[in-house]
Amino acid sequence: MRKTGIDKIPGRFMLTLAKPNEDNMLPAVNLKPPFNITRFSHVVLEVNDVGCSRDFYVNVGGLVETEFTDGVSYLRGLSEACHHSLVLAPAGDKPACRRIGYRVFLEEDLDKAKAFFEEKGLPAEWVEVRNQGRTLLVSDPSGARIELCSSMSVHPRKFLAVHEHRGARAQGLDHCQIMVADPLGLSAFYGELGFRTSEYIAAGDTLIANFMYRKGVCLDLALVPGIGPQLHHFAYTVPESSDIFAVCDFASRYGYGDSIERGPGRHGPSGVLFVYLRDPDGHRVEFFNNHYTTIDAELEPIRWDAASLSTNVHWGMPAVSKWFFEASEFAGVPLEHPEKMPNPMTLERYAEGLAKS
Amino acid sequence: MRKTGIDKIPGRFMLTLAKPNEDNMLPAVNLKPPFNITRFSHVVLEVNDVGCSRDFYVNVGGLVETEFTDGVSYLRGLSEACHHSLVLAPAGDKPACRRIGYRVFLEEDLDKAKAFFEEKGLPAEWVEVRNQGRTLLVSDPSGARIELCSSMSVHPRKFLAVHEHRGARAQGLDHCQIMVADPLGLSAFYGELGFRTSEYIAAGDTLIANFMYRKGVCLDLALVPGIGPQLHHFAYTVPESSDIFAVCDFASRYGYGDSIERGPGRHGPSGVLFVYLRDPDGHRVEFFNNHYTTIDAELEPIRWDAASLSTNVHWGMPAVSKWFFEASEFAGVPLEHPEKMPNPMTLERYAEGLAKS
Amino acid sequence: MRKTGIDKIPGRFMLTLAKPNEDNMLPAVNLKPPFNITRFSHVVLEVNDVGCSRDFYVNVGGLVETEFTDGVSYLRGLSEACHHSLVLAPAGDKPACRRIGYRVFLEEDLDKAKAFFEEKGLPAEWVEVRNQGRTLLVSDPSGARIELCSSMSVHPRKFLAVHEHRGARAQGLDHCQIMVADPLGLSAFYGELGFRTSEYIAAGDTLIANFMYRKGVCLDLALVPGIGPQLHHFAYTVPESSDIFAVCDFASRYGYGDSIERGPGRHGPSGVLFVYLRDPDGHRVEFFNNHYTTIDAELEPIRWDAASLSTNVHWGMPAVSKWFFEASEFAGVPLEHPEKMPNPMTLERYAEGLAKS
Amino acid sequence: MRKTGIDKIPGRFMLTLAKPNEDNMLPAVNLKPPFNITRFSHVVLEVNDVGCSRDFYVNVGGLVETEFTDGVSYLRGLSEACHHSLVLAPAGDKPACRRIGYRVFLEEDLDKAKAFFEEKGLPAEWVEVRNQGRTLLVSDPSGARIELCSSMSVHPRKFLAVHEHRGARAQGLDHCQIMVADPLGLSAFYGELGFRTSEYIAAGDTLIANFMYRKGVCLDLALVPGIGPQLHHFAYTVPESSDIFAVCDFASRYGYGDSIERGPGRHGPSGVLFVYLRDPDGHRVEFFNNHYTTIDAELEPIRWDAASLSTNVHWGMPAVSKWFFEASEFAGVPLEHPEKMPNPMTLERYAEGLAKS
């Protein structure tokens, strides 16, 4: 029954590290951007049942609720001092991502941002947002809805309040991944805003994933190709590698075992351990452990070669099809199709190959 | 693109915990067995390239080599004082499991064992085995080849020699899983030898897996149905849950990323974190973290209900087909087919269902 | 200001590993004892405020309460199926250890035990104990009060009920350490009952600590010299090394930061990570991570040489004086002084030496 | 023997968290500094035996050597891409700290820095430094010798090269602590350079420790009072809390068990787990786990009240006297005494109190 040797997992969904100093296909980055975005800040989700979603993020992820008011839940990670990094609001006709948020360093950066977006002919308007300082609501060229603000109310960090800890002890929001029709074009826009690339995946001249950052570690914003703009996922850090298992165990205990969509595994780009879950409305959240620092200006983007989107380099099976194709629309924002739809190696195709072999 | 809600993983490969005190379908256990087997002790594998296999177990698993002599490698885990728990010997025409080994408490137990096996009409002969005390070679009713001995030479435990540690820091051999044509019949044989059941899986009256022990934790010997006798896998403990990831990361670094066959995941029965690898010859090894204790005589077997073999309860996808059907033959031992071949939910079938949904 | 080089910590409180096969000073062990004690089972403490003590063990240690009845709290570890491993009962005039408990394998072992103790002229009487099967109350030659039983009621193990976990997630009771006037004499008694020694500490012919076991890992009963019989400490396992820090962090959060008496550190004998706390009445509890297995009969005791009691081998400072001299009396049992009081290197003496250097 | 209740550790060395929004005693911070220091970058130590020191940092800490040339060892942490974060060079007459280094963002920041230091009448000269871009050597007002540069050669990060990992797997240099005669005065200087304070310790109007940062987590530079300028310690991050124990275990195995000067413990300010070692020349290095992020401009410094320097809040004993008073001089830089020498609670004084109680 046993064969001598083992079947090779088909290599075609595995990434290959490009040679250093190979030509960088990415657009230029402005190291002196017109205003100072400091980090990815928050996500506002529209959900069918705020209480149910809140319980998911609190019990499984370990977020704490800073405030619940007017039917809206404001959550933050255990080491966050800001008022919220995740906002859960009642959905209209269907769940969606309402907005994502970035921080700028000083309030004056908001005025510079407004001028910048207006000059580009992009939407930019002042909005009142509870528990945030002056807030500018803009759209990027893909149509993604984005809040910019320079301050929130400050609250005690909870990472040592061990008696209040739950679930995977999520520490802080780290990044989001956005699916857009033209990631290369959008990369140029974010490069102009000072977003640098830590690592990226490409197939020849086609950009398959661009991992960009402002805050001095690998990632604030990942861009991948697809029908967009859509929020593919947002991600929280967990403190220890054992917490990746805690995500799964708490998910299971609270009835969300089936919501573990991908992982546990280890990404090639950035090299972190990860697990992806779908929340009660199908919004996707990633939990992962720590990113390396990327502060120094002499660092060049690391390129990975791949036939299609995957982050597997070291070990692990392909993601299921829906990980590649399902994401959260931005409420009220029309969708655009890419010139060519991605055709990734999915678990379904991989297993079909196994069955035939 | 995003659907409201998430697709449910088909529940049919998930186990269900039976109600306590439900009728125990298992054969009787003799609490005063004719001789005292204390624990599962060692595995002797025949491999194509002893050096290559040794490197696999040393670099990925973290075993230490006690001795290499006459082309045979004797390995042990970091907290083991015995001379060997894994022996790698050159294969004849093809890789196989030569023998597995159990310890008996006192040398006199060997004589009692010889009488017992002879009375049953089962093979039992004295053999000379390097680095073991007096050794009895027997066959159980399935034909599995088994060494019994009461002593080995003793060596310093290495679990604090941190500067010598490698790979997943495997601590000690824990158990094996044997695939046999009639696991229920064989359970009666081992029950007579004092093997108790910690947990088992059944479909109605059909025994799907029987997790048996002598040593005071969950498991020494697991019996599952299939073409047998074959060694399905043997298992080493690792000290921390992060070491489950270390298995994968070291496997990847040493070129064995594709050898990770199943996991990381968490078993339902016994509740441990696990990962399975295929070694360079396809022999299967499991690394897992700690088992609970099962010393007390009042403990009853825990029953799980399942349509077919699986150990998924909490989270995770089905195992690939080969995990269910491929195993290591015992060298020179004829194979017997079960009355009815198992028909488990495999990853391939699961993914086919996903693709159609 | 900085000196070249560093001050050496005086080596005199550090243990030295004896050469293997050096003459074993310990009394003989009976490998076929008159009855079968399988493991250390439980501790019954008399405390000033049962609710307060229960909260300590639940919130800091992570034990779960199986039952609270008649003012008595019955607690067990997360991976224990037995009804209780720690019983907290209201104290009479002052806190004390009421009894400690061992399990025997079969009920018939209790009868054999009664005969054995009676033959030795030691107290042995049947007692009714809630949630235990037939129970024999005996005294060992030091006067320590001991319950023997073969069964308890069985309850679901909680180690995967992660949503109920608290504190250091203590898994199970492992061992106790008893202070007695004549540990060498008492070692002979326990050797007759089949207690083997995994490791011991000696100064020439003087036995300083004897680590004895029945259950197949390092330790069930440690004997150390001093005014006795007194319960020096009992110990629970924790699942991961990070839980040693969790003990401290939870202790701090619940107002018991000052109750951390010794550690975190690593023992020489057994090699485990440990931390000791004093509970609200001053009873001492240790939390430590996993022990190696000691099942095989050919294993010889490992000897450590030391001038006085210490378990420091690898790193760490001496314990404070009270760790050496304070312990819990057995309620109603007279104390006996050793011929010569121990004179260990304490933190106080060590720091005095530092101050003078 | 056992007392009812437990002795309280004298509270006077424990920190107290001040009320939020209490008056901030710290000098102003310039959020638009004259040039952009991005992070603490490297330490250059003069040592008696470069090979011996290198082995210490490689085997115990887990640093990797990027280059060894002309008798100088250049080391970096596992997740660092820069050429070096620790440089070990042969000492002249005695070991010392030669220089510490900061990164600026762009090369033009170096010119701005030169102008700034010259305007202040502080030393500033261009120097050639191997494997660094253009480098400016300056002195701060305390006399500390500091290199500023904007680039180094880039090397592969090693955090996933698990087969090359050793010791505590130090990931990256994080911060240094400098002992100076007037920490409050020097805080004003660094505030002008944009260093913000995450947390600080004060006794009334006396600044006892100021934890300052540029890089978006808690700390780049800590200032404490004493004879200065001296390098009190520099600190590397480790990836998991278990690695704090790994530091100790590897130190012990390589003969540096006595070099563990303080810890393992948990700091009050920043809340991290830590351990301090003295290297073969007595230079002090800290290993600790992860810092929280401090990017947002609205964050106010957190104040702790204490009679004297300590970082104990949660649990743990006072540090030994030499931790408070011994440090590494800057080579060739004269020392200045503070107006009033600190009088901290040391382990020696604490133990003296215990002995008398």
Side-chain angles (χ1 to χ4, degrees):
Chain A
M1 282 281 95
R2 193 186 46 70
K3 303 178 191 171
T4 302
I6 54 164
D7 303 322
K8 284 282 167 190
I9 293 181
R12 63 192 179 285
F13 73 93
M14 287 284 175
L15 302 178
T16 311
L17 189 59
K19 293 193 193 71
N21 304 319
E22 229 166 299
D23 279 352
N24 179 359
M25 65 172 288
L26 298 173
V29 173
N30 183 2
L31 294 179
K32 297 178 185 175
F35 59 95
N36 187 0
I37 290 179
T38 54
R39 66 176 184 95
F40 180 57
S41 161
H42 58 282
V43 177
V44 185
L45 297 179
E46 300 186 352
V47 301
N48 280 321
D49 181 334
V50 170
C52 172
S53 292
R54 187 242 335 258
D55 288 352
F56 172 85
Y57 287 103
V58 166
N59 289 331
V60 176
L63 301 187
V64 290
E65 187 173 58
T66 307
E67 189 179 4
F68 179 82
T69 189
D70 291 340
V72 177
S73 178
Y74 298 85
L75 302 161
R76 69 186 201 278
L78 294 173
S79 77
E80 292 180 320
C82 56
H83 183 271
H84 53 265
S85 55
L86 178 61
V87 180
L88 304 171
D93 56 335
K94 60 175 185 176
C97 175
R98 182 179 294 174
R99 300 164 181 176
I100 58 173
Y102 290 94
R103 281 300 191 93
V104 297
F105 190 48
L106 299 176
E107 197 177 327
E108 65 189 52
D109 288 303
L110 293 173
D111 299 303
K112 295 175 185 168
K114 188 154 194 287
F116 175 86
F117 278 87
E118 284 172 349
E119 193 184 2
K120 295 272 181 190
L122 292 166
E125 56 176 327
W126 300 113
V127 288
E128 283 291 320
V129 179
R130 194 179 171 84
N131 295 303
Q132 290 176 196
R134 200 150 60 102
T135 299
L136 185 70
L137 178 61
V138 300
S139 296
D140 76 10
S142 80
R145 299 295 281 159
I146 298 168
E147 289 179 5
L148 300 175
C149 69
S150 67
S151 65
M152 287 186 186
S153 63
V154 173
H155 300 262
R157 301 179 198 263
K158 293 282 193 181
F159 66 105
L160 285 180
V162 288
H163 57 308
E164 302 178 37
H165 289 183
R166 315 191 68 147
R169 306 188 297 169
Q171 299 291 297
L173 182 67
D174 183 77
H175 67 268
C176 68
Q177 180 160 309
I178 306 291
M179 193 178 282
V180 293
D182 177 16
L184 189 58
L186 198 59
S187 295
F189 176 80
Y190 280 102
E192 204 177 338
L193 296 184
F195 283 71
R196 299 167 64 195
T197 292
S198 55
E199 312 197 16
Y200 68 107
I201 307 175
D205 292 337
T206 305
L207 181 63
I208 289 177
N210 190 4
F211 303 107
M212 308 184 85
Y213 68 94
R214 282 291 299 163
K215 71 169 161 287
V217 298
C218 296
L219 205 43
D220 283 292
L221 170 65
L223 299 176
V224 296
I227 299 169
Q230 291 190 97
L231 175 67
H232 181 269
H233 74 266
F234 56 98
Y236 277 88
T237 51
V238 297
E240 306 242 298
S241 57
S242 58
D243 290 301
I244 297 293
F245 291 125
V247 173
C248 302
D249 291 333
F250 278 90
S252 165
R253 278 286 147 176
Y254 283 99
Y256 294 105
D258 288 351
S259 301
I260 301 169
E261 188 183 55
R262 184 181 170 201
R266 187 182 286 285
H267 286 312
S270 88
V272 300
L273 294 167
F274 69 82
V275 63
Y276 291 91
L277 275 79
R278 302 293 286 272
D279 83 3
D281 292 280
H283 299 301
R284 187 181 289 108
V285 60
E286 180 189 16
F287 298 95
F288 74 101
N289 68 351
N290 223 16
H291 271 152
Y292 61 78
T293 57
T294 55
I295 297 169
D296 305 334
E298 76 269 24
L299 296 171
E300 291 293 328
I302 294 170
R303 175 184 167 125
W304 299 85
D305 290 314
S308 66
L309 180 57
S310 164
T311 62
N312 291 71
V313 175
H314 305 292
W315 46 270
M317 280 187 287
V320 291
S321 177
K322 63 184 177 176
W323 185 88
F324 291 101
F325 294 108
E326 296 181 12
S328 299
E329 296 181 25
F330 282 88
V333 177
L335 293 173
E336 188 181 352
H337 282 245
E339 281 192 22
K340 192 182 159 190
M341 275 296 281
N343 184 22
M345 172 56 61
T346 63
L347 181 73
E348 290 87 337
R349 285 177 56 198
Y350 167 71
E352 193 185 347
L354 274 187
K356 288 180 184 158
S357 72
Chain B
M1 280 283 99
R2 192 184 49 67
K3 303 177 190 171
T4 301
I6 53 164
D7 302 322
K8 284 282 169 190
I9 294 181
R12 63 193 177 283
F13 73 93
M14 289 284 176
L15 303 178
T16 311
L17 190 60
K19 292 193 196 70
N21 304 318
E22 230 165 299
D23 278 353
N24 179 1
M25 65 172 289
L26 298 173
V29 173
N30 182 1
L31 294 180
K32 299 177 183 177
F35 60 96
N36 186 0
I37 291 180
T38 55
R39 65 176 183 97
F40 180 57
S41 161
H42 58 282
V43 177
V44 186
L45 298 180
E46 301 186 351
V47 301
N48 281 320
D49 181 333
V50 170
C52 172
S53 292
R54 186 238 338 252
D55 289 351
F56 171 84
Y57 287 104
V58 167
N59 290 329
V60 177
L63 300 186
V64 291
E65 187 173 57
T66 308
E67 189 179 4
F68 179 83
T69 189
D70 291 341
V72 177
S73 178
Y74 297 85
L75 302 161
R76 69 188 200 278
L78 295 174
S79 77
E80 291 180 321
C82 56
H83 182 272
H84 53 265
S85 55
L86 177 62
V87 181
L88 303 172
D93 57 335
K94 60 174 185 175
C97 175
R98 183 178 294 173
R99 300 163 181 177
I100 57 174
Y102 291 93
R103 283 296 194 93
V104 298
F105 190 49
L106 300 175
E107 199 176 327
E108 66 189 51
D109 287 303
L110 293 173
D111 300 302
K112 294 175 186 168
K114 188 156 193 289
F116 174 86
F117 279 86
E118 284 171 349
E119 194 186 2
K120 295 272 181 190
L122 290 166
E125 57 176 328
W126 298 113
V127 289
E128 282 290 322
V129 179
R130 196 179 170 83
N131 295 302
Q132 290 176 196
R134 197 149 62 103
T135 299
L136 185 69
L137 178 62
V138 300
S139 294
D140 76 10
S142 79
R145 298 297 280 161
I146 298 168
E147 289 179 4
L148 300 175
C149 69
S150 68
S151 65
M152 288 188 187
S153 64
V154 172
H155 300 264
R157 300 179 199 262
K158 294 282 193 180
F159 65 105
L160 285 181
V162 287
H163 57 308
E164 301 177 36
H165 290 184
R166 315 191 67 148
R169 309 188 295 168
Q171 301 291 297
L173 183 67
D174 183 78
H175 67 270
C176 67
Q177 180 160 308
I178 306 292
M179 193 178 282
V180 293
D182 177 16
L184 188 58
L186 198 58
S187 295
F189 176 81
Y190 280 101
E192 203 176 339
L193 296 183
F195 284 70
R196 299 166 65 196
T197 292
S198 55
E199 313 197 17
Y200 69 107
I201 307 175
D205 291 338
T206 305
L207 181 62
I208 290 178
N210 190 3
F211 304 107
M212 307 184 85
Y213 68 94
R214 281 291 299 162
K215 73 171 161 284
V217 297
C218 297
L219 204 44
D220 283 291
L221 170 65
L223 299 175
V224 296
I227 300 170
Q230 291 190 99
L231 176 66
H232 182 270
H233 72 267
F234 56 99
Y236 278 89
T237 51
V238 296
E240 305 243 297
S241 56
S242 58
D243 291 300
I244 297 293
F245 291 124
V247 173
C248 302
D249 291 333
F250 278 90
S252 164
R253 278 284 147 175
Y254 283 100
Y256 295 105
D258 288 351
S259 301
I260 301 168
E261 190 183 56
R262 184 181 171 204
R266 187 181 286 287
H267 286 312
S270 86
V272 300
L273 292 167
F274 68 84
V275 62
Y276 291 91
L277 273 79
R278 300 294 284 273
D279 83 1
D281 291 282
H283 299 301
R284 186 179 290 109
V285 59
E286 180 188 16
F287 298 95
F288 73 102
N289 68 350
N290 223 18
H291 271 153
Y292 61 79
T293 57
T294 54
I295 298 169
D296 305 333
E298 77 269 25
L299 296 171
E300 291 293 330
I302 293 170
R303 176 185 166 124
W304 299 85
D305 290 315
S308 66
L309 179 57
S310 165
T311 63
N312 292 71
V313 176
H314 303 292
W315 47 270
M317 278 187 288
V320 291
S321 177
K322 62 185 177 175
W323 185 88
F324 292 100
F325 294 108
E326 296 181 12
S328 299
E329 295 181 25
F330 282 88
V333 176
L335 293 173
E336 187 181 352
H337 282 244
E339 281 192 23
K340 191 180 160 191
M341 276 294 282
N343 184 22
M345 172 56 62
T346 64
L347 182 72
E348 291 87 337
R349 284 177 58 198
Y350 167 69
E352 194 185 345
L354 273 187
K356 287 179 184 158
S357 71
Chain C
M1 278 283 102
R2 194 185 46 71
K3 302 178 190 172
T4 301
I6 53 162
D7 302 323
K8 285 280 168 191
I9 294 181
R12 64 194 178 284
F13 73 93
M14 287 284 176
L15 302 178
T16 310
L17 189 60
K19 292 192 194 72
N21 304 318
E22 231 166 297
D23 278 352
N24 179 1
M25 66 172 288
L26 297 173
V29 173
N30 182 2
L31 294 180
K32 299 177 183 176
F35 59 95
N36 187 359
I37 291 179
T38 55
R39 66 176 184 97
F40 180 57
S41 159
H42 59 281
V43 178
V44 185
L45 298 179
E46 300 185 350
V47 301
N48 282 320
D49 180 335
V50 169
C52 172
S53 293
R54 187 239 337 251
D55 288 351
F56 172 84
Y57 286 103
V58 167
N59 289 329
V60 176
L63 301 185
V64 290
E65 187 173 57
T66 308
E67 188 179 5
F68 180 83
T69 189
D70 291 341
V72 177
S73 177
Y74 297 85
L75 302 161
R76 70 187 199 278
L78 294 173
S79 76
E80 292 180 321
C82 57
H83 182 272
H84 54 264
S85 56
L86 178 61
V87 180
L88 304 172
D93 57 335
K94 60 174 184 176
C97 175
R98 182 178 293 173
R99 300 162 180 178
I100 57 174
Y102 291 94
R103 282 296 193 95
V104 296
F105 190 49
L106 300 175
E107 197 175 329
E108 67 189 50
D109 287 303
L110 293 173
D111 299 301
K112 295 174 184 169
K114 188 155 195 288
F116 175 87
F117 277 87
E118 284 172 349
E119 193 186 3
K120 295 273 180 189
L122 290 166
E125 56 175 330
W126 299 113
V127 289
E128 283 289 323
V129 179
R130 193 179 173 84
N131 296 302
Q132 291 176 196
R134 199 150 60 103
T135 300
L136 185 70
L137 178 62
V138 301
S139 295
D140 76 11
S142 79
R145 298 295 279 160
I146 297 168
E147 289 179 4
L148 300 175
C149 68
S150 68
S151 66
M152 288 189 187
S153 62
V154 172
H155 300 263
R157 301 180 197 262
K158 294 282 194 180
F159 66 105
L160 285 181
V162 288
H163 56 307
E164 300 178 36
H165 290 184
R166 317 191 64 148
R169 308 186 296 168
Q171 300 292 297
L173 183 67
D174 183 79
H175 67 268
C176 68
Q177 181 161 306
I178 306 291
M179 194 179 280
V180 294
D182 177 17
L184 189 57
L186 198 59
S187 295
F189 176 81
Y190 281 100
E192 205 176 338
L193 296 183
F195 283 70
R196 300 168 62 197
T197 293
S198 55
E199 312 197 18
Y200 68 107
I201 307 174
D205 291 339
T206 305
L207 181 63
I208 291 179
N210 191 3
F211 303 107
M212 308 183 85
Y213 68 93
R214 282 291 299 163
K215 73 171 158 282
V217 298
C218 296
L219 204 44
D220 282 293
L221 169 65
L223 299 176
V224 296
I227 300 169
Q230 291 189 99
L231 175 67
H232 182 269
H233 73 266
F234 56 98
Y236 278 88
T237 50
V238 295
E240 305 243 298
S241 57
S242 58
D243 291 301
I244 298 293
F245 291 125
V247 173
C248 301
D249 291 332
F250 278 89
S252 164
R253 277 285 147 175
Y254 283 100
Y256 294 105
D258 288 352
S259 300
I260 301 167
E261 189 182 56
R262 184 182 171 203
R266 188 182 285 286
H267 286 311
S270 87
V272 300
L273 293 168
F274 69 82
V275 62
Y276 291 93
L277 274 79
R278 301 293 285 274
D279 83 2
D281 292 280
H283 300 301
R284 185 180 292 108
V285 61
E286 180 189 15
F287 298 95
F288 73 103
N289 66 352
N290 222 16
H291 270 153
Y292 60 78
T293 56
T294 56
I295 296 169
D296 305 334
E298 77 268 26
L299 296 171
E300 291 293 329
I302 293 170
R303 176 185 165 124
W304 298 86
D305 290 315
S308 66
L309 180 57
S310 165
T311 63
N312 292 71
V313 175
H314 304 292
W315 47 269
M317 279 189 287
V320 292
S321 177
K322 63 185 177 176
W323 184 89
F324 292 100
F325 294 108
E326 295 181 12
S328 299
E329 296 180 25
F330 282 87
V333 176
L335 293 173
E336 187 181 353
H337 282 244
E339 280 192 22
K340 192 181 159 190
M341 275 296 281
N343 183 22
M345 171 56 61
T346 63
L347 181 74
E348 290 87 336
R349 284 176 58 198
Y350 167 70
E352 193 185 347
L354 273 188
K356 286 179 183 159
S357 71
Chain D
M1 279 282 100
R2 192 185 49 69
K3 303 177 189 171
T4 301
I6 54 163
D7 302 323
K8 283 283 168 190
I9 294 181
R12 62 192 180 284
F13 74 93
M14 289 284 177
L15 302 178
T16 311
L17 189 60
K19 293 192 196 68
N21 305 318
E22 231 167 298
D23 280 352
N24 178 1
M25 65 172 289
L26 297 173
V29 173
N30 182 1
L31 294 181
K32 300 178 184 177
F35 58 97
N36 186 359
I37 291 178
T38 54
R39 67 177 184 94
F40 180 57
S41 161
H42 58 281
V43 177
V44 185
L45 297 180
E46 300 186 352
V47 301
N48 281 320
D49 182 331
V50 169
C52 173
S53 292
R54 187 240 336 253
D55 288 352
F56 172 85
Y57 286 103
V58 167
N59 290 330
V60 177
L63 300 187
V64 291
E65 188 173 56
T66 308
E67 188 179 4
F68 179 82
T69 190
D70 291 340
V72 176
S73 178
Y74 297 85
L75 303 161
R76 70 186 198 280
L78 294 174
S79 76
E80 291 180 321
C82 56
H83 181 271
H84 54 264
S85 56
L86 178 61
V87 180
L88 303 172
D93 57 336
K94 62 174 183 176
C97 175
R98 183 179 292 174
R99 299 164 183 176
I100 58 173
Y102 291 94
R103 283 296 193 93
V104 297
F105 189 50
L106 300 174
E107 198 176 328
E108 66 189 53
D109 287 304
L110 293 173
D111 300 301
K112 294 175 185 167
K114 188 155 194 289
F116 174 86
F117 278 87
E118 284 172 348
E119 193 186 1
K120 294 272 180 192
L122 291 166
E125 56 175 330
W126 300 112
V127 289
E128 282 291 319
V129 179
R130 195 180 172 84
N131 294 304
Q132 291 176 195
R134 201 150 58 102
T135 300
L136 185 70
L137 177 63
V138 300
S139 294
D140 77 9
S142 80
R145 298 297 280 161
I146 297 167
E147 289 179 6
L148 301 174
C149 69
S150 67
S151 66
M152 289 188 185
S153 63
V154 172
H155 300 262
R157 301 178 197 263
K158 293 282 194 179
F159 66 105
L160 285 182
V162 289
H163 57 307
E164 302 177 37
H165 289 184
R166 316 190 66 147
R169 308 187 296 169
Q171 300 291 298
L173 183 67
D174 183 78
H175 67 269
C176 69
Q177 181 160 309
I178 307 292
M179 193 179 280
V180 293
D182 177 17
L184 189 56
L186 198 58
S187 295
F189 175 81
Y190 281 100
E192 204 176 338
L193 296 184
F195 283 71
R196 300 167 63 194
T197 292
S198 55
E199 312 198 16
Y200 68 107
I201 307 174
D205 292 338
T206 304
L207 181 62
I208 288 177
N210 190 4
F211 303 108
M212 308 182 86
Y213 68 94
R214 283 290 299 163
K215 73 170 160 284
V217 299
C218 296
L219 203 44
D220 283 290
L221 171 64
L223 299 176
V224 296
I227 299 170
Q230 291 190 99
L231 175 67
H232 182 269
H233 74 266
F234 55 99
Y236 277 88
T237 50
V238 296
E240 303 242 300
S241 57
S242 57
D243 291 300
I244 297 292
F245 291 125
V247 173
C248 301
D249 291 332
F250 279 89
S252 165
R253 277 286 147 175
Y254 283 100
Y256 294 105
D258 288 351
S259 300
I260 301 168
E261 190 182 56
R262 183 181 172 204
R266 189 182 284 287
H267 285 312
S270 87
V272 299
L273 293 168
F274 68 83
V275 63
Y276 291 92
L277 274 79
R278 301 293 286 270
D279 83 4
D281 292 281
H283 300 300
R284 186 179 290 109
V285 58
E286 180 188 16
F287 297 95
F288 74 101
N289 67 353
N290 222 16
H291 269 154
Y292 61 79
T293 56
T294 56
I295 296 170
D296 305 333
E298 78 269 24
L299 296 170
E300 291 293 328
I302 293 170
R303 177 184 166 125
W304 299 86
D305 291 315
S308 66
L309 181 57
S310 164
T311 62
N312 292 71
V313 176
H314 305 289
W315 47 270
M317 278 188 289
V320 291
S321 177
K322 63 184 177 175
W323 185 88
F324 291 101
F325 294 109
E326 296 182 13
S328 298
E329 296 181 24
F330 282 87
V333 176
L335 293 172
E336 188 182 352
H337 282 246
E339 280 192 22
K340 192 180 160 191
M341 277 294 282
N343 184 22
M345 172 56 61
T346 64
L347 181 74
E348 291 88 336
R349 285 176 57 197
Y350 167 70
E352 193 186 347
L354 275 188
K356 286 180 183 159
S357 73

